[in-house]
Amino acid sequence: MTIKQNLGLSENGRILFSTRILRLFAYGFLSVILALYLSQLGLSEVNIGLLLTLTLLGDTAISLWITTNADRIGRRRMLIGGAMLMILAAALFAATRNYYLLLLAATIGVISPSGNEVGPFLSIEQASLTQLVSDRQRTKVFAWYNLVGSFATALGALAGGGLSQLLQGWVTHRC
């Protein structure tokens, strides 16, 4: 029996699960490498701390706005908008060393330096899932939703740590 059959998920339910897995893998990965990356850019510990603080404050403000407007504007639109903010933040982090642009990306990007679900996605997805599954399946679906998210975060952190270790070994070996 497949997860689809076992959980009774529609296509939209499977999309919500898939995006959660990808997002939390990225959050786990980011939780390991972000501070290392910022340090490699030459940022001081104070500047890194400020950037991470603004990330959390920005996530709070954006999450509040997105979640309180999701039903009026549309849950799907808001999830896509949040994902676009994440992509924009990632592009800025990859493209620039300018501290002020990094601060902007950290503030408006729906990223999670802690590896935890801090953005607007969780509440919108949970509200959507309650409408996509039957009452009898709801507990099982949410259990799986949380479990796959936890595994994705752990695998992302493992991948980030493994990549960091590999690259540090490669750099040390080359020198």
Side-chain angles (χ1 to χ4, degrees), residues 2-22:
T2 67
I3 288 180
K4 175 186 171 186
Q5 293 167 329
N6 190 27
L7 296 180
L9 290 177
S10 64
E11 180 180 352
N12 286 337
R14 291 190 306 277
I15 290 170
L16 289 174
F17 265 71
S18 298
T19 57
R20 178 170 174 78
I21 290 167
L22 290 172

Side-chain angles (χ1 to χ4, degrees), residues 13-122:
R14 291 190 306 277
I15 290 170
L16 289 174
F17 265 71
S18 298
T19 57
R20 178 170 174 78
I21 290 167
L22 290 172
R23 184 177 64 255
L24 289 178
F25 180 89
Y27 285 171
F29 190 88
L30 187 65
S31 71
V32 173
I33 65 164
L34 183 59
L36 294 172
Y37 174 74
L38 295 172
S39 178
Q40 284 299 111
L41 290 181
L43 298 182
S44 70
E45 291 174 0
V46 170
N47 285 344
I48 292 171
L50 176 62
L51 192 138
L52 296 178
T53 300
L54 287 177
T55 297
L56 295 174
L57 292 175
D59 281 349
T60 301
I62 287 172
S63 295
L64 180 63
W65 187 84
I66 287 176
T67 56
T68 56
N69 290 286
D71 284 335
R72 184 175 54 80
I73 295 173
R75 291 176 183 167
R76 181 176 292 181
R77 283 188 182 128
M78 295 311 250
L79 289 172
I80 291 170
M84 291 299 157
L85 288 173
M86 287 176 73
I87 291 168
L88 176 63
L92 279 172
F93 269 91
T96 188
R97 293 175 161 246
N98 181 299
Y99 182 67
Y100 297 104
L101 288 176
L102 292 173
L103 281 176
L104 176 67
T107 304
I108 65 164
V110 184
I111 60 175
S112 172
S114 66
N116 296 319
E117 182 79 76
V118 295
F121 302 102
L122 182 65

